[in-house]
Amino acid sequence: MAVTARDVARVAGVSVSTVSRALAKPDEVAPETRAKVLATAQGMGYRPNQAARGLVTGRTGIIGLIVPDLENPFFASVTKGVQSRARAAGFAVIVADSDEDPSQEAELARDMSKQVDGLVLCAPRGPEGVIVEVALDIPMVLINRRCGDLPTVAIDNVEGIRLAMVHLRALGHRRIAWVGGPVTSWSNTERLSALESVAAEHPDIELVNLGSFPPYVSGGIAAADLVIASGATAVLAYNDLLAFGLLDLLRQRGVAVPGDISVVGVDNIPMSSLTSPSLTSVGIPLVTCGRASVDMLVQLVRDPSAVPAHHHDLSFRLVVRDSSGPVRRVLADLATA
Amino acid sequence: MAVTARDVARVAGVSVSTVSRALAKPDEVAPETRAKVLATAQGMGYRPNQAARGLVTGRTGIIGLIVPDLENPFFASVTKGVQSRARAAGFAVIVADSDEDPSQEAELARDMSKQVDGLVLCAPRGPEGVIVEVALDIPMVLINRRCGDLPTVAIDNVEGIRLAMVHLRALGHRRIAWVGGPVTSWSNTERLSALESVAAEHPDIELVNLGSFPPYVSGGIAAADLVIASGATAVLAYNDLLAFGLLDLLRQRGVAVPGDISVVGVDNIPMSSLTSPSLTSVGIPLVTCGRASVDMLVQLVRDPSAVPAHHHDLSFRLVVRDSSGPVRRVLADLATA
DNA sequence: TTGTATGCGTTATCAT
DNA sequence: ATGATAACGCATACAA
């Protein structure tokens, strides 16, 4: 059996309450008593029982993280950030994977809410109502989605999309295709409307929306022929995985990148520099993103009365690599002729 | 405040113990009573308090998973498998990232051991003594490392390496380089000795061990020039990330793959089909690997007296892609001349 | 089959 | 400053 506070108390010659205080509230106990208790606790290898503590305090010392897909490098990076920061703050992290399924996501959130002190929802796909409802029960921070006035770590999609569009326009591209992600994704909606507003600022740009695709490599493969058929000289994908799929099938079709078509992704996941051609991408420091969410959540957990309406916006940066280049004169001339 | 068993009992007109039984031991309560309790519990949104339950049963309903690096796609896949299977078995998963640091790994394991019902250590880097010591306290399953007679989900490295070597030899390669991973990695040791024994079976094969490198893309970049200098016509890397790094720098150096040098990786992570050239790799179903470990752990948790000496070996399969090809006649002739 | 009573290890309240 | 004691919500041995 594990050593309990009672054992420590007996050995140290004090009461259980004193043991408890010596550890939790150092200044409410005499320095020498405290020293003695700490020493014997240390010596006996005493570890407070989290379950018992949780039962009385209502705290678990655990935060929950729900992501759509652990195998997606985007979320893997976020998870890493969340985990490391949480640990530094004295919290363990329970992680769950919703498999991109909104209903699982909601169920997970509800299950977890009784088991953790706070919840980080990363790019939740579910309807706003459900999310807000769960947030009533438990401190919650969102990543990559705005939802009511829940605290959020988000990305300035407009800025990111603008960077990409300006880049492509500077290279001479005028007909630009958009390969979208899940319709349930907040980021997707954001990016599409950003795209439209940027396009509106530049009347010479023609935007071709090719619709929604699953945010995996397979989605990009499915979209590639549409891109070719669209006559666009450049394509912007919802995320890098989709862009990878595009690169793959375009190569198979004998379409040169960036010679015939330029490809730009979003997220700048680690793998983006390794494809051939390497992928131009707009991205953010994902690990930082995870860390920031934990900082906000911990604050919220410690003081639930704090005003939760805090939005932490991170900015994109454009990483130009080999998959984007100047439009071919010939094609450009043909297109405008 | 949350709804407790007491509340449910009051509403359903029964005692707390009946509520408890109705949920945990359905056959120890009259069918109609059970139905009534279940219905009201459902209606009131009752969720048993895990902390309270844990306090009396000694169980937390949580299993811990420690991986060297969450951003490594290999471990991301394993994590996904562990999470989904654990959830299906009614367990939550606390995940932690040791950052490839053996001392952090040990500390994490010790911390967690008081908080979870069982532990999955994925490819632990720490010394055997430490691992075995922690395993004394808590049910533990290892992935990708054998350690004493702790239950393990491992891969038959000899078989995998043999597949790769036979493949390369059939393509005419005789001088083959090895780019190793962390010296602290059990798999690395296993693979190297497998390599040596397979080489011993084929006296015409010349093995060039280029040493150990960090198991990231950067490690492969660091190793690439050594590969070129080695005069090998084929190189086998400890994992796919290293192989990606090799591909990247070889391309920069103008070395054709597989024309001049064939490259083969290990793990077959999802990204391997997307590089250019796509990567030939020996791999296992990683998600399955994670699932299997949970199955073993859950069994162990449910019946700690069960013989723990269970080894679950998964087999490699060779996925041949574009990065491996026949050795060039000219070079081959030169080499053997 | 069901209810009553006890205890899990800790923190918090109240005395001292 | 410290100790005794009452919860916290649940499971379980025992009584009915």
Side-chain angles (χ1 to χ4, degrees):
Chain A
M1 207 51 194
V3 38
T4 76
R6 197 172 164 176
D7 302 327
V8 177
R10 188 173 3 241
V11 173
V14 297
S15 74
V16 236
S17 343
T18 302
V19 173
S20 174
R21 272 187 293 246
L23 275 74
K25 313 179 176 176
D27 42 284
E28 282 187 26
V29 68
E32 50 188 16
T33 318
R34 179 161 58 102
K36 185 173 56 182
V37 171
L38 258 46
T40 60
Q42 180 80 18
M44 300 175 68
Y46 169 66
R47 300 275 198 172
N49 180 321
Q50 285 289 348
R53 171 178 291 176
L55 190 53
V56 47
T57 61
R59 295 254 179 103
T60 61
I62 303 176
I63 68 179
L65 169 66
I66 300 179
V67 299
D69 177 16
L70 281 165
E71 274 182 307
N72 182 326
F74 179 97
F75 301 122
S77 295
V78 171
T79 303
K80 180 151 184 150
V82 167
Q83 201 282 320
S84 74
R85 192 59 148 226
R87 178 164 162 67
F91 288 85
V93 177
I94 287 185
V95 58
D97 179 312
S98 70
D99 260 322
E100 299 272 357
D101 176 352
S103 71
Q104 271 202 59
E105 179 183 287
E107 198 188 328
L108 283 169
R110 269 190 271 262
D111 277 8
M112 272 195 183
S113 66
K114 309 296 173 185
Q115 200 170 171
V116 301
D117 294 340
L119 217 44
V120 175
L121 290 202
C122 188
R125 311 300 199 204
E128 176 155 341
V130 176
I131 296 175
V132 171
E133 180 207 324
V134 176
L136 254 39
D137 281 349
I138 186 176
M140 183 186 289
V141 171
L142 267 38
I143 294 181
N144 234 18
R145 162 140 178 192
R146 198 144 296 174
C147 201
D149 57 352
L150 290 176
T152 302
V153 176
I155 303 152
D156 185 350
N157 281 283
V158 177
E159 182 56 23
I161 294 298
R162 182 186 309 275
L163 285 172
M165 293 286 273
V166 165
H167 168 66
L168 290 173
R169 187 165 178 279
L171 290 169
H173 298 279
R174 293 297 178 268
R175 188 171 172 84
I176 300 176
W178 164 247
V179 172
V183 288
T184 51
S185 158
W186 176 82
S187 294
N188 188 56
T189 312
E190 281 283 299
R191 285 170 199 174
L192 181 54
S193 70
L195 216 50
E196 283 163 349
S197 74
V198 173
E201 294 167 17
H202 301 281
D204 55 346
I205 289 185
E206 203 174 348
L207 192 62
V208 187
N209 182 0
L210 298 178
S212 286
F213 299 84
Y216 313 116
V217 173
S218 58
I221 291 177
D225 285 321
L226 290 179
V227 173
I228 297 173
S230 75
T233 61
V235 54
L236 185 58
Y238 166 73
N239 71 7
D240 286 353
L241 293 179
L242 276 167
F244 290 162
L246 291 175
L247 289 180
D248 194 45
L249 202 79
L250 289 178
R251 185 178 51 212
Q252 283 186 44
R253 292 284 186 260
V255 176
V257 174
D260 298 324
I261 296 181
S262 285
V263 177
V264 175
V266 179
D267 285 350
N268 190 37
I269 60 178
M271 212 54 61
S272 301
S273 58
L274 299 169
T275 50
S276 172
S278 57
L279 184 68
T280 294
S281 183
V282 283
I284 54 160
L286 297 175
V287 175
T288 305
C289 201
R291 290 175 185 276
S293 71
V294 172
D295 288 342
M296 291 173 63
L297 187 60
V298 167
Q299 191 182 347
L300 214 58
V301 168
R302 298 225 169 105
D303 179 15
S305 67
V307 181
H310 188 68
H311 297 314
H312 190 301
D313 270 7
L314 297 168
S315 44
F316 276 104
R317 70 182 194 284
L318 178 69
V319 181
V320 177
R321 298 203 184 85
D322 300 336
S323 67
S324 58
V327 72
R328 273 196 186 163
R329 286 289 168 207
V330 191
L331 288 176
D333 292 349
L334 285 176
T336 56
Chain B
M1 209 50 193
V3 38
T4 77
R6 197 172 163 178
D7 301 328
V8 177
R10 188 175 2 239
V11 173
V14 297
S15 74
V16 226
S17 38
T18 302
V19 173
S20 174
R21 274 186 293 245
L23 276 74
K25 312 178 174 176
D27 42 284
E28 282 187 24
V29 68
E32 49 188 16
T33 317
R34 179 160 59 99
K36 185 173 55 180
V37 171
L38 258 45
T40 62
Q42 180 79 20
M44 300 176 68
Y46 169 67
R47 301 279 196 171
N49 179 321
Q50 285 289 347
R53 171 178 292 175
L55 190 53
V56 47
T57 61
R59 295 253 179 101
T60 61
I62 303 176
I63 68 178
L65 169 66
I66 300 180
V67 299
D69 178 16
L70 281 165
E71 276 183 306
N72 182 327
F74 179 97
F75 301 123
S77 294
V78 171
T79 303
K80 180 151 184 149
V82 166
Q83 201 282 320
S84 75
R85 192 60 147 226
R87 177 162 164 69
F91 288 85
V93 177
I94 287 185
V95 58
D97 179 312
S98 70
D99 260 322
E100 299 272 356
D101 175 354
S103 71
Q104 270 203 59
E105 179 182 286
E107 197 188 328
L108 282 169
R110 269 190 271 262
D111 276 8
M112 272 195 183
S113 67
K114 309 295 174 184
Q115 200 170 172
V116 301
D117 293 340
L119 216 44
V120 175
L121 289 202
C122 188
R125 310 299 198 204
E128 176 154 341
V130 176
I131 295 175
V132 171
E133 180 208 324
V134 177
L136 255 38
D137 280 349
I138 186 176
M140 182 185 288
V141 171
L142 268 38
I143 294 181
N144 234 20
R145 161 137 178 194
R146 198 144 297 175
C147 200
D149 57 352
L150 289 176
T152 302
V153 176
I155 303 152
D156 185 349
N157 281 283
V158 178
E159 182 57 23
I161 293 298
R162 182 185 308 277
L163 285 173
M165 293 286 273
V166 166
H167 169 65
L168 289 174
R169 187 165 178 280
L171 290 170
H173 298 279
R174 293 296 178 268
R175 188 171 171 82
I176 300 176
W178 165 248
V179 173
V183 288
T184 51
S185 158
W186 176 82
S187 294
N188 188 57
T189 312
E190 281 283 297
R191 285 170 200 174
L192 181 54
S193 70
L195 216 50
E196 283 163 350
S197 73
V198 173
E201 294 167 16
H202 301 282
D204 56 346
I205 288 185
E206 205 175 345
L207 192 62
V208 187
N209 182 0
L210 298 179
S212 286
F213 298 84
Y216 311 116
V217 173
S218 59
I221 291 177
D225 286 319
L226 289 179
V227 173
I228 297 173
S230 75
T233 61
V235 54
L236 185 57
Y238 166 73
N239 71 7
D240 286 353
L241 293 180
L242 276 167
F244 291 161
L246 291 174
L247 290 180
D248 194 44
L249 202 79
L250 289 178
R251 185 179 51 210
Q252 283 188 42
R253 292 283 186 262
V255 177
V257 175
D260 298 324
I261 296 181
S262 285
V263 177
V264 175
V266 178
D267 285 351
N268 190 37
I269 60 177
M271 212 54 60
S272 302
S273 57
L274 300 169
T275 50
S276 171
S278 56
L279 183 68
T280 294
S281 183
V282 283
I284 53 160
L286 297 175
V287 175
T288 305
C289 201
R291 290 176 184 275
S293 71
V294 172
D295 288 342
M296 292 172 63
L297 187 60
V298 168
Q299 192 182 346
L300 214 59
V301 167
R302 297 225 168 104
D303 179 13
S305 68
V307 182
H310 188 68
H311 296 314
H312 190 302
D313 270 6
L314 297 169
S315 44
F316 275 103
R317 70 182 194 285
L318 179 69
V319 182
V320 177
R321 297 202 184 86
D322 300 335
S323 68
S324 57
V327 72
R328 272 195 186 164
R329 286 287 170 212
V330 191
L331 287 177
D333 293 348
L334 285 176
T336 57

